[in-house]
Amino acid sequence: MADLFKGFLSDSESIFKNEIALDPEFSPKLIPFRESENQYIATCIKPLFQNRTGKNLIIHGSPGVGKTLACKNVIKELEETTDDILPVYANCWKKNSTYQIVLAICEALNYKFTHNKRTDELIAIVTQKLNRKSSVIILDEIDKIENLDILYHLAENLYRKTIILITNDSNWTYKLDPRLKSRLVPDRLEFRPYTLEETREILKQRIHHAFNSETLTSSEEIAKKTFELKDIRIGLFLLREAAEIAESFSTKKISEEHVNKAIEKLSNFQKPVALDDDEKAILDLIKSNPEKTTAGIYNIYKEKFGLKSERTFQRKIKSLEKSNIVKLTRIEDIHGRSYRIKQLTEF
Ligand SMILES: Nc1ncnc2c1ncn2[C@@H]1O[C@H](COP(=O)(O)OP(=O)(O)OP(=O)(O)O)[C@@H](O)[C@H]1O
Ligand SMILES: [Mg+2]
């Protein structure tokens, strides 16, 4: 027999106690540091318990700060508490057309006769079903939706509801058509990033689920990196990666070196292939002027390098965004259309 896989057979015991705990989709039982946000969401839903209509809500915050987790928890708690409020959750990134979202609502309502029915027929059916009771409709990643027809419809035709929209883009609301805004009149709730201490604590819980106590003795570097990049998913990625690196050295203990290797992998993973001179220069300006919008950066860039056209500048900055080095959020300021810039990766 060949030797290639021999070692794998004898080495059947995994470094993980429960690998699923490191999956970003895993829902931990406890959600620390989001008590007040959960409470706020509950307050918007409260009128539904009294047979009145609820408040609509836009939740915003950067990636990996627990928005989806909090909302899924709301659904779970609703299901455990009452049969009179119908909870519906759909992710508009995965299902971005009106038809797909209506199908997701049908599924949540356990309505199976969707075959051969047109979108408008299905909309009429779910509206009727939802209006028999109260409903909480959560549309996650709403900024990815193809068009807002379904939102108009739900806002206008459901009698007793709370519509919760989740987005990364804090300016998304400002782009909304006033007619829709005046139908929704949503409250806004921001999920701020976690502090270092909170990040440490959240990761500790996952480590406790995922590993035996002697597997990982210090997770401080992982917590620090996660805090720096402000996304709990990065921490989960690093934990899994460090464990796999340890395993590849046939050890059941994750050392500092394994953690450092995992962190290195993270920056390789995020860095783009190469930046050209213009992109480098623009990035330097962004670093030294973190408060400036794209319009402000363009002004300095023009002064410094003369001649360059605004179109070239826009193209370069979009390419930085594509490479995940910066995140651009649209705003209206004195310069007209402009973008707020957030640097995502060190470079
Ligand atoms: N307070 C918390 N306690 C425990 N785990 C948390 C907490 N906040 C976030 N997480 C975990 O971090 C990961 C990312 O959270 P989540 O998916 O809710 O982020 P998000 O804000 O919806 O991000 P995105 O905008 O990218 O969708 C998940 O695995 C989630 O379980
Ligand atoms: Mg999410």
Side-chain angles (χ1 to χ4, degrees):
M1 184 176 127
D3 283 340
L4 190 55
F5 297 112
K6 243 190 193 161
F8 294 2
L9 290 174
S10 55
D11 194 22
S12 61
E13 208 179 295
S14 159
I15 190 166
F16 299 101
K17 181 170 76 183
N18 177 13
E19 191 176 354
I20 293 169
L22 299 181
D23 192 317
E25 301 290 318
F26 172 83
S27 289
K29 279 217 173 66
L30 296 175
I31 310 180
F33 316 118
R34 288 298 183 215
E35 290 83 3
S36 66
E37 287 82 355
N38 273 320
Q39 206 53 50
Y40 194 100
I41 301 172
T43 315
C44 294
I45 296 172
K46 190 177 169 202
L48 300 180
F49 282 87
Q50 299 146 344
N51 252 336
R52 293 184 289 128
T53 193
K55 275 198 108 1
N56 300 321
L57 182 64
I58 294 187
I59 293 178
H60 63 97
S62 52
V65 294
K67 301 183 296 300
T68 299
L69 178 64
C71 286
K72 288 203 163 158
N73 183 55
V74 164
I75 296 222
K76 193 178 116 238
E77 297 231 356
L78 268 178
E79 281 169 342
E80 286 169 5
T81 315
T82 175
D83 289 328
D84 298 332
I85 302 174
L86 301 167
V88 174
Y89 170 92
N91 186 310
C92 307
W93 191 21
K94 294 180 184 152
K95 303 172 191 290
N96 71 349
S97 71
T98 303
Y99 178 68
Q100 282 173 314
I101 289 173
V102 177
L103 278 189
I105 301 178
C106 288
E107 202 183 316
L109 298 177
N110 213 1
Y111 177 76
K112 298 204 166 63
F113 308 105
T114 54
H115 200 59
N116 285 339
K117 290 204 172 74
R118 292 191 320 266
T119 307
D120 57 330
E121 289 174 300
L122 289 173
I123 290 182
I125 292 168
V126 296
T127 308
Q128 200 192 24
K129 285 190 176 294
L130 289 168
N131 272 335
R132 282 193 204 136
K133 296 187 175 181
S134 303
S135 51
V136 171
I137 316 269
I138 301 177
L139 299 178
D140 204 346
E141 319 233 17
I142 185 70
D143 44 311
K144 305 289 190 317
I145 203 167
E146 227 169 42
N147 73 57
L148 293 166
D149 290 358
I150 186 73
L151 203 48
Y152 273 96
H153 183 87
L154 296 173
E156 190 141 286
N157 295 320
L158 295 185
Y159 308 137
R160 290 179 308 277
K161 83 268 184 186
T162 286
I163 300 178
I164 300 177
L165 308 174
I166 308 177
T167 173
N168 288 148
D169 180 356
S170 60
N171 290 309
W172 186 77
T173 351
Y174 304 120
K175 294 178 227 158
L176 267 187
D177 173 0
R179 286 183 307 144
L180 183 54
K181 231 190 278 185
S182 75
R183 282 171 176 78
L184 285 172
V185 227
D187 272 13
R188 289 166 64 85
L189 172 65
E190 184 190 357
F191 275 51
R192 52 163 183 84
Y194 295 111
T195 63
L196 175 59
E197 230 154 274
E198 291 169 342
T199 306
R200 213 182 263 141
E201 199 49 46
I202 290 169
L203 291 179
K204 237 184 221 155
Q205 282 190 7
R206 298 292 260 261
I207 292 167
H208 177 74
H209 279 298
F211 302 115
N212 290 318
S213 57
E214 65 281 6
T215 308
L216 177 63
T217 39
S218 170
S219 54
E220 188 54 17
E221 288 311 308
I222 293 185
K224 276 191 190 152
K225 194 74 198 167
T226 307
F227 167 69
E228 194 186 299
L229 298 172
K230 308 220 172 311
D231 181 341
I232 298 294
R233 276 192 212 103
I234 304 258
L236 301 176
F237 168 82
L238 289 174
L239 287 171
R240 188 196 291 255
E241 206 58 41
E244 279 171 3
I245 292 169
E247 231 176 15
S248 74
F249 286 106
S250 301
T251 156
K252 296 274 184 298
K253 264 194 164 82
I254 302 173
S255 70
E256 208 174 300
E257 194 193 338
H258 303 143
V259 167
N260 289 339
K261 278 215 163 82
I263 292 178
E264 260 169 48
K265 246 181 155 167
L266 180 71
S267 43
N268 290 343
F269 176 69
Q270 290 198 333
K271 267 182 203 166
V273 206
L275 296 184
D276 67 27
D277 288 348
D278 275 321
E279 287 163 347
K280 276 190 205 143
I282 293 172
L283 194 57
D284 279 343
L285 293 180
I286 293 172
K287 274 186 192 160
S288 40
N289 300 280
E291 75 298 340
K292 289 241 181 323
T293 62
T294 47
I297 296 286
Y298 177 59
N299 284 338
I300 312 179
Y301 175 79
K302 229 176 15 186
E303 250 172 49
K304 240 182 145 172
F305 302 100
L307 291 180
K308 303 274 158 107
S309 80
E310 183 162 6
R311 197 160 339 130
T312 314
F313 175 83
Q314 297 287 3
R315 207 177 58 235
K316 300 287 177 189
I317 207 151
K318 286 275 175 200
S319 124
L320 290 176
E321 183 183 39
K322 241 190 178 162
S323 314
N324 273 332
I325 298 177
V326 299
K327 181 173 184 285
L328 303 177
T329 320
R330 184 148 161 208
I331 49 168
E332 299 293 333
D333 68 5
I334 46 164
H335 309 282
R337 176 145 48 99
S338 184
Y339 294 85
R340 197 190 324 254
I341 311 170
K342 187 169 170 255
Q343 196 186 331
L344 296 177
T345 17
E346 290 174 71
F347 203 76

